[in-house]
Amino acid sequence: MRLIAWLRERRLPAAIVVIGLLAGVTQLVRWWTMPEPGQHDFVGPPRSGYTLTNFRLSSYDREGLPAFNVTAPHLERREGDESLYINSPAFDLPSNEAGVPDWRGESLYGWVNQGGDLLKLLGPVHMHREAFDDTAAAQLDTADMTIWPKDNRMETAAAARMVQGALTMSGVGMRANLTDKHLELLDDVHATFPPRKR
């Protein structure tokens, strides 16, 4: 009896507490019985962060020296991975040595990762370097090449053919370090070495 008398004396505060408890219990029941939120079923093409036409892009290594230059008619930067997708790139890999010409080349497509330290050339790849001093001009034909421009390295698993003057080398799979002037053919290697002049 004392509780009922106490509640009668304090009707308003008691009613507020009871209504607050009922609202809390109702909200908990609603959360438990609510269906899962629906998933978005629409999956569209990736959106471009931006698109460039007839552009030139230059990237630099850790020491501030040119790592690579690319010119192309079309580039897209996609928001999802922030990498660059390039159509018909023409590129330069600077030698950064006095008197040594740059490697220049073309490919069907190109891809550059977000950090700019990985370049993939897709489709047929043609590269060439002009003659200098007593070194003959060089030409390299392959496909689907991966280049680490800041390390001056490149590799491919496709067939590769290199011609430098009268020297011809071909094989399947290639690794090259342009800084060390080191070229390694991995499989099915054929080479023609001209006799040296005496």
Side-chain angles (χ1 to χ4, degrees):
M1 290 297 204
R2 287 185 180 173
L3 178 62
I4 295 173
W6 185 83
L7 286 174
R8 280 187 189 159
E9 291 175 8
R10 294 169 182 83
R11 280 187 212 170
L12 184 59
I16 291 172
V17 169
V18 169
I19 290 172
L21 288 174
L22 286 174
V25 169
T26 304
Q27 185 63 38
L28 284 175
V29 169
R30 184 171 177 258
W31 281 337
W32 285 329
T33 59
M34 242 173 91
E36 291 286 323
Q39 298 293 326
H40 297 292
D41 295 332
F42 176 75
V43 177
R47 293 178 52 200
S48 293
Y50 56 80
T51 301
L52 301 177
T53 55
N54 300 321
F55 74 95
R56 179 175 175 83
L57 169 76
S58 297
S59 178
Y60 296 87
D61 66 12
R62 294 171 191 92
E63 285 78 38
L65 297 171
F68 71 91
N69 301 307
V70 178
T71 58
H74 185 84
L75 172 143
E76 286 187 25
R77 178 194 167 270
R78 297 187 180 160
E79 289 180 2
D81 58 4
E82 298 183 4
S83 55
L84 305 176
Y85 295 81
I86 307 168
N87 290 349
S88 303
F91 55 91
D92 298 334
L93 297 174
S95 68
N96 294 324
E97 289 182 45
V100 178
D102 301 341
W103 278 94
R104 297 178 186 249
E106 307 87 33
S107 70
L108 192 58
Y109 298 104
W111 177 85
V112 181
N113 72 340
Q114 178 183 3
D117 53 4
L118 180 64
L119 169 64
K120 290 194 177 198
L121 302 171
L122 307 171
V125 178
H126 171 74
M127 297 178 67
H128 59 281
R129 184 181 67 192
E130 302 295 329
F132 64 100
D133 296 335
D134 59 350
T135 304
Q139 179 177 314
L140 174 64
D141 292 295
T142 186
D144 300 333
M145 183 177 287
T146 302
I147 299 176
W148 293 268
K150 295 180 180 179
D151 298 327
N152 229 2
R153 293 184 307 116
M154 58 186 173
E155 72 177 35
T156 182
R161 182 172 188 266
M162 172 130 179
V163 176
Q164 186 169 17
L167 168 67
T168 303
M169 296 185 297
S170 63
V172 176
M174 179 202 75
R175 290 185 205 133
N177 186 319
L178 301 177
T179 304
D180 300 340
K181 298 176 182 68
H182 176 80
L183 175 74
E184 181 181 3
L185 295 169
L186 304 177
D187 192 25
D188 194 24
V189 179
H190 300 278
T192 303
F193 295 95
R196 292 186 178 177
K197 294 180 182 178
R198 293 181 186 221

